[in-house]
Amino acid sequence: MESTDNTAVPVGGSVTLTCSVNPSSSSGWKYYWYRDEKSSEALTTQDAVFHSNGQISVSQEGLYRCRGGRGNPVYYTEDSQSVRIGKTGEFNMKSDKFLIKEEDEEQKALTCLTFMSSNRPVVTLYPNWSEIYRGETITVRCEIHGGDTEWDYEWETNSMIKAPNQNEYRIRSASSSNSGNYRCKGRMKSSQHKTTEWSDSVTLTVSDNKPRPVLTVSPSWLSPGASVTLNCEVEHPSAGWSFYWYKAVPDLSEKSSSYELLPDGSGTAQDSYIIHGQTHTAGYVCRAGRGDPEYHTDHSQPTFVWSADVHSAASLTVSPDRVQHFTSDSVSLTCEGNFTEWRVRKFSEDGRLYSDCRRMTGSTCNINTSKSDTAVYWCESGSGEFSSAVNITVQNDGNGPILVSPVHPVTEGASVSLSCSLRTQKKYFPMWELKISAVSKSDEGFYKCQYSGRESAQSWMSVKADVSSSPVWLIVGLVCGVSLIIILLLLLYRCRTTNSETFSFTYNKLFIIQIHKCIIRSI
């Protein structure tokens, strides 16, 4: 016995032993295992766990050896060197080379017994992201727990780029070539015949597509005193992202926008951001970052919050002044304010943002309406100002009516008329009218009209406060409103219903105003 190797084996664990016959090109061998020097009975499945390729796992103490056999009658090699598994987990081997020479007339056979440690390594990803993006940095680690043994490391991967034989593989600027399954094992530096088992595989996926987050705003339309909440959503939201928040500033020269970081909007842990005191139309953008060095996503598409406030430095007028229009109507959108450069922007029903008007003359955008022109419109100046926003709805039913209602909010106390219009051979026939002599906040809501079973689209009529009104005028308006309701109720009993065509207004789905030869209001 030339030398003895001592290796720590976890108490209560198991040890994997491998028996092989050299040269490795020889085949047909079956392996027989024995415990204790005097025993001539081979081990059975009650004594050990048998694996393929001449491997067994044992947990009992004893002196183990093996030999190979093949053919009929069976030809046996000599026994291998012995391996001792002690009570305390101490592992003793009689030689560094565990090779026994066996000769016959045809070949030289060498029986080899090797040891496999029960310390199974674990592959980890740091940071622990199962999917990363092109350009990110990630580290793949092989960790072997227990004991103070020094190890050499061996990696196995089906990725296009092979890992080095180190316990840590740092991937800088990852690409799809790094995608694959990774597993590792350890080999003792003191004896290259002593190895661990292979670890379980860990899958790393590298996407070549740079992520683009999606920004949502709530509410989409501003109301006085309301806060605006921005939410930035990115794929795998729990995977260590921090968020950056920007205001979109119009850049007419580039037909796009530049981005200004919002106050305290750099690297927030939360995926939401609240804006207080917003009163005008504005656009916002977000992006996300993670890792060290930090990797950034693309910027999100700009998302807008709209205001109907016409007191901003820039304004938008619509001619004809109504929300709803027939197909092939000529509609003009005019930007107004002390600016020389303008663009009209459009956010369509299908969620697309358009930056250019097809026919822009000076500060006026001319539209020959089609169904695709149903959208929200606003102006942006070369100085970065936003106008109020307006809704435009195009009626797609050539035989149906449209509701004629104001584009901009109506001031409390003012009078307003809502009417229904039909078009026959490109001639317009305004019919029946609902007049509100003193508008109040309770009149705000959705309106639509109906003619001969055909309905118009519904449009929102917004009512804004009159900052110049006094309490006296508020009382007068209240009295007038009550008086109007009393008059309408009296008319209910005096009106005779005829067989003429029926026309109706629907208000907030609660009140229906039917017009025959007189106005009847029913609840």
Side-chain angles (χ1 to χ4, degrees):
M1 186 170 65
E2 297 179 1
S3 63
T4 299
D5 291 328
N6 297 321
T7 303
V9 177
V11 176
S14 63
V15 174
T16 300
L17 305 175
T18 302
C19 190
S20 61
V21 175
N22 290 332
S24 58
S25 59
S26 61
S27 60
W29 292 103
K30 183 178 179 181
Y31 298 97
Y32 301 86
W33 292 90
Y34 305 89
R35 185 172 62 239
D36 298 331
E37 290 183 347
K38 296 181 180 180
S39 175
S40 59
E41 294 184 6
L43 298 182
T44 67
T45 54
Q46 295 180 346
D47 306 306
V49 177
F50 286 76
H51 306 289
S52 60
N53 300 324
Q55 290 185 340
I56 63 169
S57 294
V58 297
S59 56
Q60 297 182 21
E61 62 172 316
L63 194 64
Y64 290 86
R65 68 187 190 280
C66 72
R67 67 174 178 170
R70 69 177 180 182
N72 187 13
V74 179
Y75 166 80
Y76 294 99
T77 67
E78 289 189 4
D79 290 351
S80 70
Q81 293 281 358
S82 296
V83 172
R84 178 175 295 281
I85 304 297
K87 288 183 179 180
T88 60
E90 184 180 272
F91 174 71
N92 298 319
M93 294 174 290
K94 292 186 176 179
S95 171
D96 279 338
K97 286 190 168 183
F98 325 118
L99 296 179
I100 294 297
K101 186 175 179 182
E102 190 69 33
E103 297 184 7
D104 63 13
E105 296 179 355
E106 298 180 356
Q107 65 171 4
K108 294 182 178 179
L110 299 176
T111 306
C112 174
L113 175 62
T114 58
F115 158 75
M116 186 173 289
S117 169
S118 63
N119 290 351
R120 191 174 192 182
V122 176
V123 175
T124 58
L125 301 177
Y126 182 80
N128 188 22
W129 304 330
S130 59
E131 181 172 3
I132 65 173
Y133 298 96
R134 184 181 184 89
E136 285 195 280
T137 297
I138 194 166
T139 299
V140 186
R141 288 176 179 168
C142 183
E143 298 178 348
I144 303 175
H145 300 285
D148 298 324
T149 305
E150 291 187 358
W151 303 92
D152 288 327
Y153 295 86
E154 183 177 338
W155 288 91
E156 186 175 85
T157 176
N158 58 357
S159 71
M160 296 177 64
I161 300 177
K162 302 305 177 184
N165 290 332
Q166 300 171 358
N167 72 314
E168 188 171 284
Y169 175 33
R170 186 170 176 84
I171 303 172
R172 304 177 188 273
S173 191
S175 69
S176 58
S177 300
N178 297 113
S179 295
N181 298 320
Y182 290 80
R183 68 174 187 165
C184 69
K185 70 177 181 180
R187 189 178 299 276
M188 293 181 184
K189 288 187 176 180
S190 59
S191 178
Q192 290 296 298
H193 294 282
K194 307 171 196 176
T195 68
T196 67
E197 297 179 64
W198 283 104
S199 69
D200 290 331
S201 293
V202 170
T203 301
L204 175 64
T205 303
V206 182
S207 173
D208 279 335
N209 298 319
K210 195 170 187 179
R212 168 168 279 178
V214 176
L215 178 66
T216 57
V217 299
S218 179
S220 296
W221 286 89
L222 289 171
S223 57
S227 299
V228 177
T229 300
L230 310 182
N231 285 97
C232 192
E233 183 178 351
V234 68
E235 289 183 295
H236 311 294
S238 62
W241 295 106
S242 56
F243 299 90
Y244 298 81
W245 309 92
Y246 304 87
K247 182 176 182 180
V249 180
D251 186 350
L252 272 59
S253 62
E254 297 294 332
K255 296 184 179 181
S256 61
S257 298
S258 58
Y259 307 134
E260 291 182 357
L261 195 66
L262 290 170
D264 300 321
S266 177
T268 66
Q270 294 76 28
D271 61 357
S272 61
Y273 183 94
I274 298 177
I275 300 171
H276 302 283
Q278 182 67 36
T279 57
H280 302 318
T281 297
Y284 298 98
V285 167
C286 75
R287 70 170 177 170
R290 68 179 183 181
D292 183 20
E294 191 168 31
Y295 167 87
H296 292 104
T297 68
D298 283 335
H299 290 89
S300 69
Q301 291 286 1
T303 303
F304 294 86
V305 56
W306 299 298
S307 170
D309 181 16
V310 295
H311 296 294
S312 57
S315 61
L316 172 62
T317 60
V318 180
S319 180
D321 184 14
R322 62 174 187 254
V323 175
Q324 297 184 20
H325 302 266
F326 293 107
T327 304
S328 300
D329 276 354
S330 294
V331 178
S332 297
L333 308 175
T334 302
C335 303
E336 297 179 348
N338 295 322
F339 308 102
T340 56
E341 291 184 284
W342 296 96
R343 71 177 172 198
V344 174
R345 302 204 82 174
K346 165 185 170 182
F347 187 79
S348 63
E349 282 186 307
D350 60 4
R352 295 184 182 183
L353 179 65
Y354 297 86
S355 299
D356 292 314
C357 173
R358 291 190 297 269
R359 291 189 300 154
M360 190 82 178
T361 304
S363 60
T364 300
C365 175
N366 298 295
I367 301 173
N368 189 29
T369 57
S370 65
K371 183 59 180 175
S372 64
D373 291 315
T374 295
V376 179
Y377 293 84
W378 68 96
C379 296
E380 294 177 0
S381 75
S383 301
E385 297 290 336
F386 290 81
S387 75
S388 56
V390 299
N391 270 308
I392 297 294
T393 302
V394 180
Q395 171 64 280
N396 201 34
D397 183 357
N399 297 319
I402 63 169
L403 174 69
V404 179
S405 61
V407 168
H408 295 293
V410 181
T411 304
E412 279 188 299
S415 64
V416 66
S417 294
L418 304 178
S419 62
C420 209
S421 181
L422 292 174
R423 180 174 69 177
T424 303
Q425 295 179 349
K426 295 190 176 181
K427 293 182 180 180
Y428 298 94
F429 295 93
M431 305 176 301
W432 308 289
E433 188 174 55
L434 171 65
K435 290 185 177 180
I436 305 175
S437 59
V439 173
S440 65
K441 194 67 177 176
S442 63
D443 294 311
E444 186 175 79
F446 283 107
Y447 289 81
K448 63 181 177 180
C449 66
Q450 186 182 79
Y451 176 75
S452 295
R454 294 180 180 273
E455 283 188 348
S456 71
Q458 65 177 14
S459 293
W460 178 268
M461 186 179 76
S462 181
V463 178
K464 64 179 181 178
D466 183 5
V467 294
S468 64
S469 63
S470 65
V472 174
W473 286 109
L474 292 176
I475 294 173
V476 171
L478 179 61
V479 171
C480 291
V482 172
S483 301
L484 179 60
I485 292 174
I486 294 172
I487 293 172
L488 289 173
L489 290 174
L490 290 174
L491 287 173
L492 176 64
Y493 295 99
R494 298 182 60 186
C495 178
R496 295 180 180 179
T497 303
T498 68
N499 292 326
S500 61
E501 293 178 303
T502 298
F503 172 81
S504 66
F505 277 104
T506 302
Y507 166 56
N508 271 1
K509 299 183 180 179
L510 297 177
F511 302 100
I512 297 179
I513 301 170
Q514 292 183 320
I515 302 176
H516 302 288
K517 290 186 177 178
C518 62
I519 298 178
I520 300 176
R521 180 171 184 168
S522 61
I523 299 177

